[in-house]
Amino acid sequence: MLTRVPNMNLTSICSSPTLLPTSQVDACKVWHNLQHLETTYSGFGSWYWGKVVPGVTTGHRRILSAECDGVLSGVVIAKSEGEKKICTVWVPEQFRGQLVATRLMEDAMEWLDSEKPLFSVPSFRKQEFQAIVKKFGFQLEQTVHELYGTGRVEHVYNGTLKTKIDA
């Protein structure tokens, strides 16, 4: 059973972020906010439009998002086909520290029916995700070199990655 963070008044920036049901998530609006990740993950756009969006249609993937006053305040992308994995976590800087990622990840883990989904973090962002990893008790099980790019190191929690195609 997942332990959920109670709904609370988070901060004055966004006193009540709204978690949107997948049926109301606008793939284009999400893409507009995530497209910068293409510079970090080569092929991110092809993956998003070629796997994520069609996967949402088939029910094998889910885009979970939160909004505050009509502004996207966070996104989590999860997949259940082949493995239970949280693929992407993104929260704009102005909404960080307000439990947006925590609440979205809780919803993703509930959808995945897993308290310990596969989760990977590049070494250059490991510090950013340290609190989330600790909060959920994720266990480092693998370190992969050059999976998502030359010279890149990916830290894998709660399982192991086979290939980048599995994302």
Side-chain angles (χ1 to χ4, degrees), residues 7-39:
N7 287 338
M8 53 181 40
N9 190 3
L10 299 174
T11 72
S12 61
I13 293 175
C14 186
S15 62
S16 184
T18 304
L19 300 179
L20 300 176
T22 298
S23 62
Q24 292 181 17
V25 172
D26 179 341
C28 291
K29 182 175 185 177
V30 169
W31 172 249
H32 177 74
N33 287 273
L34 296 184
Q35 64 187 346
H36 70 278
L37 295 176
E38 183 74 33
T39 61

Side-chain angles (χ1 to χ4, degrees), residues 101-156:
T102 298
R103 291 174 61 196
L104 288 169
M105 286 187 64
E106 288 172 340
D107 282 1
M109 290 186 288
E110 185 175 312
W111 176 73
L112 291 167
D113 193 28
S114 175
E115 292 184 19
K116 304 288 186 219
L118 193 61
F119 183 67
S120 69
V121 177
S123 58
F124 65 90
R125 297 194 65 204
K126 191 175 180 186
Q127 186 67 31
E128 273 179 73
F129 283 95
Q130 188 172 18
I132 286 276
V133 165
K134 184 176 179 179
K135 173 174 186 33
F136 291 112
F138 290 176
Q139 297 296 311
L140 180 64
E141 295 192 23
Q142 183 184 34
T143 300
V144 183
H145 296 268
E146 302 191 355
L147 182 65
Y148 294 122
T150 304
R152 297 269 309 266
V153 177
E154 199 79 9
H155 301 280
V156 186

